[in-house]
Amino acid sequence: MASLILSPAEQDFIIRGVEKGFRGDGRGSLDRREVTLRTGMISQANGSARCRIGSLGVGTDILVGVKAEVNTWAAGEPEECGTIVCNVECSPSAAQEFEGRGADEINVELTQLLDRIVGGEQSGLDLRKLCIIPRQAYWVLHIDALVLDVKGGVADALVWATRAALLATKLPRVVVESVTDDSGVARAEFDVVDDAEDQMGLEGARDLPLAATFNQIGRRYVVDASEQEEAVTQAKLTVAVSPKMEICAIQKGGMLKGFAPSLLSEITQTALRIAKEEFARFDALFAEASKHNGELDEEPSTGSTFLEPF
Amino acid sequence: MPRPDRRENDQIRALHSILGLLNRVDGSAQFSAGSTSVYCGVYGPVDVKVYDEKLDRAVIEVKFRPAAGVSGTKDRWVESAVRGTFEREILAQMHPRTLIQINIQAREDDGSADAAAINATTMALVDAGVPLRDMVAAASCAVLADGAAVVDPTLEEAAAAQSVHTFAFAGSDIGRAGSGGASGSTSPVYVDSRGDFSVADYDRCYDLCLRSAQRVLAFMRTAIEGKIAKESQISVV
Amino acid sequence: MDVDMESQDTRDIASRIVTPGSVITNDTAFMRGHGTFAERTTIYSSVAGAVERINKLVSVRPLKQRYSGEIGDIIVGRITEVASKRWRVDVNSRQDGILLLSSINLPGGIQRRKSESDELQMRTFFAEGDLVFAEVQSYFADGALSLHTRSLQYGKLRNGTFVTVFPQLVPRSRSHFHTLPCGVDIVLGVNGYIWVSKHVPASKVEENSELIYSDKNEFISDDERETIARIANCIHLLNRLYVKITDTSIIFAYEASLTHAVKDLLTREIAIDLAHNVKTRLEQQS
């Protein structure tokens, strides 16, 4: 990510501060910034969510849409499962740095990160339930993430937003029938029920993980680094933890140096330790967001609505 | 024949906008009509590299990205259309040797996305403080198989239509037409017509779009003035 | 002109909220300023904002604007490029500012003749990423700001942290360097770039002029770190809630913030509450 350039004096101030337990904004080393979560803002998607991690309306801001499509099975593909396809893009309308080739690299990196965490069985989703007719048809879930702003901690916002979008995803019901044709051969056929009331959530969505990113700064590490803290980070580790308190994925990023093995295990232990709190926080935010489902959000002072069509 | 969402033929969908929702750019706006939602980020005026600069005016660049899929030639068309429209309205001579970058992202497309793109661009330019000669408001209209002309068509309606038209008008022209000027005498600043249509079809769509653009303009002005009024109070202290 | 008519006219014009293309006036007595354009005898607004009138000059100030410098402005800038005999400086404007080698203070206090070695060792003075406290001296032909740091108070910034705010929230005033009662120094750049740091007595810098280009921080105590973080958060919340940023408003915010933990100052409810508190006190003051 186009990194902030800081003067040596600024860097020293931040690093020494972190080592003494003082982060620039007064947070403790394991404190996350304010998280804002909204769901249901993309009506054409099967599920959608927007997550911002930061403070006072400024922060890393990611919008995720989930679209389900029926695919025809082809030889070589898994015979009794559906699939998940991830795509992450940084929107150029959000920042000038998100234009051109620089953005391509970032997009690829983030797509791989998301894919590793939620792109398959490891996500907790029951892919078998996404199969419609074995060797014939299955659901593909397209997870499309749009990065609107980056102020440190992209991986976390990406995973939180994706978990929320998948939890909010509703698939239409599919009716499968056996049809016998004139020559007596029985075939399976399916029909997608077009009824907004008759939809189901994704099996296993409750098992989706959350992620926390740990940045090593000096001799300590912090959770949810700010933009300035990212600029003095030596190494960082994103740890995805499932609600069953299992580690699903670990991804290292932005390396200037490697991690000492002892630090690695310390960080993963810390990730497990804070996971309970993180899930509790997520659940509270998600419940709140679901109540306002679909309502267009954001600071009311900048938004206007004419609700009556005219 | 009733429309799928039960709107009248001359009724546009519910409008919603947000000004200044993006933090890293100089100006931004989201514009939505029903489920169609487009947002725009404006960067500039900024210094432009010497070989790109125009000596007497700002260079205007437009990028449009669709809601889904890879961007293609149709999107290039939208880009050049938006650029052409706003090149006339932006007072580019005020910022010679600079660049104004307009980045449009369609978030959700349920029809009339190009009109929404133009409207979002107007609001983002205003949010950025880029000097404009006038505001631009756009609306679309489709002529259906049964000959009916409907404004602000949805994706479904546009796909089944015989022709689809998008018009954009400058604010002062809309005002003049509204106060009893002969309609048909107001030139749009942007027109895009596709499909099979007669002159009569075109005229009908023109009228419908002009009236819809009036409503869109009123909405945009109210939204902008409202924001300024609130924030002027705040910044007095 | 009849006095009544004139005051009605001017009352009508100022403070109106306009959008691009709005007619401001047809009266040829008025001259057009920023944010307007004229066609024939009519002055129109080119931006959205409130109309301002100073005597016969009519202008419109939009809410948001990149910083555009004026001579004499005190600013904070970040070095983006080291070139031959000059530095390019990000000043939060549409163009980078320029700091010429001939416009800076050289160690030894007195301006000595520029030698070859000074040019080759540009980075011993300022390198990419450094923050400088400078004054706008003049403009170049292409409109770029020319900066200088020739007074001893200016130079490289150390011992603290950087905060960005909307430039229009920092009013121009006589002084932009303040030592706050809580023991922290602040530099309020008119361009929206702000520096918050440990207080270092001016005398210390004067005695030891090599310090002006040092990259090393002084020792900063835990209390000082906490105060710096508190002030920085106060400035953030004043910015996001659109309150003017001056030494006074920062002090008011600081005092009101003491009942909260530093990290809580950036949570929505508390920030709104504190900003409201500050605005009330500022209103009472004026």
Side-chain angles (χ1 to χ4, degrees):
Chain A
M1 207 57 67
S3 184
L4 215 51
I5 300 184
L6 300 181
S7 66
E10 282 172 286
Q11 293 180 36
D12 178 70
F13 182 85
I14 296 171
I15 295 172
R16 284 192 201 273
V18 167
E19 286 180 343
K20 289 169 129 202
F22 284 92
R23 296 174 80 169
D25 55 9
R27 280 187 288 155
S29 42
L30 299 180
D31 285 335
R32 192 182 278 291
R33 291 167 290 178
E34 212 169 8
V35 181
T36 310
L37 199 61
R38 295 281 185 274
T39 55
M41 65 279 307
I42 306 180
S43 48
Q44 284 184 318
N46 295 80
S48 57
R50 181 171 175 175
C51 178
R52 184 169 57 221
I53 300 184
S55 43
L56 300 181
V58 181
T60 295
D61 197 342
I62 304 194
L63 179 65
V64 176
V66 179
K67 262 204 120 142
E69 251 174 33
V70 179
N71 254 29
T72 310
W73 180 83
E77 291 177 346
E79 302 186 349
E80 298 184 353
C81 296
T83 57
I84 299 175
V85 177
C86 298
N87 185 50
V88 183
E89 229 175 76
C90 293
S91 174
S93 56
Q96 220 191 20
E97 303 97 84
F98 293 164
E99 258 217 293
R101 279 226 315 263
D104 289 338
E105 279 171 33
I106 301 166
N107 293 341
V108 167
E109 193 188 309
L110 292 173
T111 300
Q112 285 178 341
L113 174 72
L114 191 62
D115 198 51
R116 173 175 271 185
I117 296 177
V118 302
E121 286 284 347
Q122 74 277 21
S123 64
L125 291 177
D126 191 341
L127 295 185
R128 255 180 290 266
K129 287 279 174 10
L130 294 177
C131 174
I132 298 174
I133 298 172
R135 299 164 54 106
Q136 209 173 311
Y138 58 88
W139 285 111
V140 182
L141 293 179
H142 290 279
I143 303 179
D144 285 302
L146 193 59
V147 179
L148 298 171
D149 200 356
V150 175
K151 291 260 185 298
V154 194
D156 297 359
L158 189 54
V159 175
W160 282 53
T162 302
R163 183 171 202 264
L166 287 168
L167 272 169
T169 296
K170 296 260 181 294
L171 287 185
R173 200 159 56 85
V174 182
V175 174
V176 181
E177 292 179 324
S178 183
V179 171
T180 315
D181 68 17
D182 302 328
S183 47
V185 178
R187 257 187 16 248
E189 275 190 2
F190 70 91
D191 202 22
V192 177
V193 179
D194 186 11
D195 184 354
E197 305 297 308
D198 192 4
Q199 300 195 322
M200 351 161 286
L202 295 173
E203 281 283 338
R206 289 232 61 89
D207 291 332
L208 284 160
L210 283 179
T213 301
F214 297 80
N215 287 45
Q216 187 185 354
I217 295 175
R219 286 180 296 253
R220 292 256 221 137
Y221 55 85
V222 297
V223 170
D224 189 22
S226 65
E227 229 188 345
Q228 295 191 321
E229 288 170 339
E230 293 270 27
V232 296
T233 293
Q234 288 149 253
K236 75 185 176 191
L237 207 68
T238 299
V239 182
V241 180
S242 76
K244 298 202 185 91
M245 302 299 139
E246 288 163 344
I247 299 200
C248 312
I250 300 183
Q251 171 116 339
K252 57 181 172 61
M255 303 292 262
L256 289 179
K257 333 186 330 192
F259 269 111
S262 54
L263 195 56
L264 203 72
S265 84
E266 196 188 319
I267 288 178
T268 47
Q269 288 310 308
T270 308
L272 287 169
R273 215 171 9 110
I274 64 172
K276 196 155 164 232
E277 227 177 273
E278 297 251 280
F279 276 105
R281 189 167 182 184
F282 177 94
D283 289 337
L285 289 168
F286 185 78
E288 189 62 34
S290 306
K291 269 201 289 188
H292 301 284
N293 209 35
E295 255 169 49
L296 292 158
D297 60 313
E298 295 326 301
E299 282 81 278
S301 67
T302 55
S304 342
T305 312
F306 283 175
L307 285 175
E308 291 307 316
F310 73 124
Chain B
M1 211 173 73
R3 300 172 75 172
D5 54 7
R6 307 262 183 272
R7 277 187 285 151
E8 299 295 333
N9 288 1
D10 64 350
Q11 193 178 6
I12 61 181
R13 288 171 285 185
L15 300 178
H16 177 84
S17 72
I18 306 176
L19 270 175
L21 72 165
L22 301 171
N23 291 300
R24 290 183 111 122
V25 289
D26 291 313
S28 58
Q30 181 184 296
F31 184 91
S32 312
S35 313
T36 294
S37 180
V38 175
Y39 61 83
C40 177
V42 168
Y43 209 72
V46 282
D47 258 12
V48 68
K49 303 233 185 320
V50 176
Y51 49 84
D52 276 343
E53 72 183 21
K54 288 205 178 137
L55 289 174
D56 64 337
R57 52 192 10 256
V59 170
I60 296 161
E61 240 177 47
V62 180
K63 292 254 164 68
F64 176 84
R65 295 157 76 92
V70 184
S71 77
T73 34
K74 179 160 176 279
D75 306 313
R76 302 288 85 76
W77 169 256
V78 174
E79 285 170 1
S80 68
V82 169
R83 186 176 54 250
T85 305
F86 285 98
E87 250 171 7
R88 263 169 305 206
E89 299 310 317
I90 291 177
L91 288 164
Q93 303 93 299
M94 292 201 163
H95 294 284
R97 294 188 309 274
T98 65
L99 167 70
I100 297 171
Q101 226 177 34
I102 299 173
N103 281 304
I104 308 170
Q105 170 86 55
R107 210 172 83 169
E108 219 186 319
D109 188 351
D110 188 15
S112 309
D114 52 351
I118 290 173
N119 295 328
T121 303
T122 295
M123 294 189 83
L125 287 168
V126 171
D127 188 51
V130 172
L132 298 171
R133 175 181 311 282
D134 216 336
M135 292 180 56
V136 178
S140 296
C141 185
V143 180
L144 305 177
D146 65 358
V150 295
V151 293
D152 194 18
T154 61
L155 208 58
E156 202 190 322
E157 288 177 317
Q162 288 187 325
S163 62
V164 181
H165 311 256
T166 300
F167 288 88
F169 299 93
S172 53
D173 292 336
I174 294 176
R176 250 200 310 274
S179 55
S183 109
S185 62
T186 306
S187 312
V189 297
Y190 170 77
V191 182
D192 182 61
S193 295
R194 290 159 197 255
D196 295 324
F197 56 94
S198 63
V199 173
D201 287 336
Y202 181 92
D203 285 343
R204 264 189 308 154
C205 288
Y206 170 96
D207 279 337
L208 282 170
C209 287
L210 181 56
R211 275 188 279 142
S212 301
Q214 243 167 2
R215 294 189 189 114
V216 171
L217 183 66
F219 166 74
M220 293 199 291
R221 282 210 172 119
T222 308
I224 291 166
E225 288 166 6
K227 183 184 185 198
I228 293 170
K230 276 210 188 102
E231 294 192 354
S232 304
Q233 279 168 21
I234 296 170
S235 68
V236 156
V237 196
Chain C
M1 195 186 287
D2 183 72
V3 174
D4 281 338
M5 261 182 70
E6 185 172 55
S7 40
Q8 159 144 79
D9 214 0
T10 54
R11 238 206 325 268
D12 281 345
I13 284 189
S15 304
R16 254 183 65 213
I17 291 177
V18 289
T19 50
S22 301
V23 173
I24 296 178
T25 182
N26 281 305
D27 189 339
T28 50
F30 288 100
M31 290 188 309
R32 61 170 209 84
H34 293 301
T36 66
F37 68 97
E39 248 166 39
R40 291 190 219 105
T41 58
T42 309
I43 298 180
Y44 299 87
S45 172
S46 63
V47 296
V51 179
E52 291 176 342
R53 185 193 64 77
I54 299 175
N55 298 322
K56 290 296 185 185
L57 184 70
V58 154
S59 57
V60 184
R61 195 168 42 94
L63 275 178
K64 246 193 241 191
Q65 247 181 345
R66 280 186 175 246
Y67 165 68
S68 60
E70 282 173 29
I71 294 176
D73 276 355
I74 309 294
I75 58 122
V76 172
R78 191 181 291 279
I79 306 287
T80 58
E81 194 186 305
V82 182
S84 159
K85 298 200 222 173
R86 61 176 59 188
W87 294 269
R88 295 193 75 91
V89 187
D90 163 27
V91 296
N92 204 18
S93 179
R94 61 177 180 80
Q95 293 192 61
D96 281 346
I98 305 284
L99 179 62
L100 297 171
L101 177 58
S102 52
S103 300
I104 69 168
N105 245 320
L106 293 181
I110 316 153
Q111 298 289 84
R112 38 173 232 256
R113 278 193 61 192
K114 313 294 183 290
S115 63
E116 275 295 310
S117 56
D118 284 336
E119 288 164 25
L120 295 172
Q121 292 168 45
M122 295 279 289
R123 285 193 176 78
T124 56
F125 304 124
F126 296 112
E128 292 88 341
D130 282 341
L131 282 171
V132 306
F133 178 18
E135 187 177 321
V136 177
Q137 178 177 268
S138 63
Y139 298 105
F140 283 90
D142 62 354
L145 298 180
S146 176
L147 309 171
H148 84 88
T149 60
R150 271 197 238 100
S151 310
L152 265 177
Q153 52 178 308
Y154 301 135
K156 198 183 283 201
L157 293 169
R158 303 178 296 132
N159 304 316
T161 190
F162 176 73
V163 181
T164 306
V165 300
F166 299 120
Q168 58 269 35
L169 292 179
V170 184
R172 289 186 168 88
S173 86
R174 266 196 319 264
S175 174
H176 285 264
F177 178 94
H178 304 276
T179 298
L180 301 179
C182 55
V184 149
D185 286 345
I186 54 171
V187 178
L188 300 177
V190 173
N191 58 336
Y193 285 174
I194 294 181
W195 183 252
V196 182
S197 61
K198 167 198 167 94
H199 173 64
V200 173
S203 51
K204 180 162 192 179
V205 178
E206 277 156 26
E207 286 159 26
N208 210 347
S209 55
E210 272 94 67
L211 277 182
I212 56 174
Y213 295 115
S214 167
D215 286 329
K216 290 212 171 350
N217 289 332
E218 309 278 314
F219 169 75
I220 303 175
S221 74
D222 290 0
D223 283 338
E224 286 168 329
R225 280 191 190 275
E226 187 174 327
T227 312
I228 289 172
R230 186 177 285 277
I231 295 284
N233 280 4
C234 284
I235 296 174
H236 272 303
L237 72 89
L238 289 174
N239 180 48
R240 294 304 301 174
L241 292 159
Y242 225 75
V243 180
K244 284 241 184 296
I245 296 171
T246 59
D247 54 334
T248 310
S249 65
I250 295 174
I251 291 171
F252 286 170
Y254 175 82
E255 288 169 358
S257 79
L258 289 169
T259 52
H260 302 281
V262 175
K263 69 176 178 189
D264 292 334
L265 300 181
L266 296 180
T267 55
R268 207 155 175 264
E269 283 80 36
I270 294 176
I272 291 175
D273 193 48
L274 288 175
H276 181 75
N277 192 306
V278 172
K279 276 184 270 189
T280 312
R281 277 186 79 178
L282 288 172
E283 267 161 26
Q284 283 168 356
Q285 214 196 23
S286 61

